Amino acid sequence: MHGIAMPGTPSQTIGPFYGDALPFPGGGDVAPTGHPETVTVHGHVFDGAGAPVPDALLEFWQADRDGSLAGAPGSLCRDGASFTGFARVTTGRDGHYVLRTLLPGGVPYLALCLFSRGLTRHLFTRVYFTLPAEDPLLASLPTDRCLTLLAAPDPARHRAYRFDVRLRGERETVFLDFTDTPASDGTSAHQGSPGDGGV
């Protein structure tokens, strides 16, 4: 019996493809429906060559307007009234995402976790609305690096901010490395520090 020559299988982009299974209806609508203080946060995810990254997944966590971190149950099943403090949005083919939320109280930022095809691990960063001098993370960074964490007001939209994520390159977003450190009660606590995106 003679062997049959078979064509090679095509190369595949590394997965998983987060945008196919994890999004849920209303995932980017954190603010209660019709809330007068709703703001829009939007932007693009870019790779090292400046090309948009489609099918990226962004998860946001934040405090409520009063600084509360308790949130509310039902993040994956929006009722239009509760503020859960959690969002999950994807980028389209143009690398663009949109989030509708409330400005956080207590701390001036949203926590952001980014998943994308081609990344062997997810990335953590922050979305600041102001850059307070007393913030420990910002104080550890040069001014130009701090600006990669700042959401800029978008005059083209009502109550809107633009925040782009750049995975590599000259204006690469500051990403955080989290390491386990002993807490005062003997348990493990997470500590963040500036890190390399590693992509």
Side-chain angles (χ1 to χ4, degrees), residues 129-151:
F129 296 97
T130 61
L131 298 177
E134 67 275 10
D135 185 278
L137 173 61
L138 299 178
S140 71
L141 298 170
T143 301
D144 62 330
R145 302 296 289 136
C146 290
L147 293 177
T148 71
L149 300 176
L150 181 64

Side-chain angles (χ1 to χ4, degrees), residues 3-145:
I4 300 175
M6 300 293 291
T9 56
S11 59
Q12 299 293 321
T13 301
I14 186 171
F17 303 104
Y18 297 100
D20 291 337
L22 293 178
F24 59 94
D29 298 323
V30 184
T33 303
H35 197 291
E37 296 185 26
T38 298
V39 297
T40 298
V41 180
H42 73 105
H44 292 79
V45 178
F46 296 106
D47 65 16
V53 177
D55 196 35
L57 184 107
L58 300 87
E59 291 188 343
F60 295 87
W61 294 270
Q62 69 168 98
D64 203 340
R65 289 183 306 148
D66 61 2
S68 170
L69 295 174
S75 291
L76 303 184
C77 185
R78 303 290 195 206
D79 63 8
S82 302
F83 181 87
T84 66
F86 174 78
R88 180 182 290 161
V89 297
T90 59
T91 58
R93 292 186 177 181
D94 58 355
H96 187 253
Y97 73 90
V98 179
L99 167 71
R100 294 177 182 84
T101 188
L102 304 176
L103 293 178
V107 294
Y109 63 82
L110 314 179
L112 169 59
C113 182
L114 172 71
F115 303 81
S116 175
R117 67 178 76 179
L119 292 179
T120 56
R121 56 183 295 186
H122 46 281
L123 303 174
F124 294 97
T125 189
R126 291 178 179 176
V127 182
Y128 282 84
F129 296 97
T130 61
L131 298 177
E134 67 275 10
D135 185 278
L137 173 61
L138 299 178
S140 71
L141 298 170
T143 301
D144 62 330
R145 302 296 289 136

Side-chain angles (χ1 to χ4, degrees), residues 185-197:
D185 60 359
T187 61
S188 177
H190 290 294
Q191 180 175 3
S193 61
D196 186 353

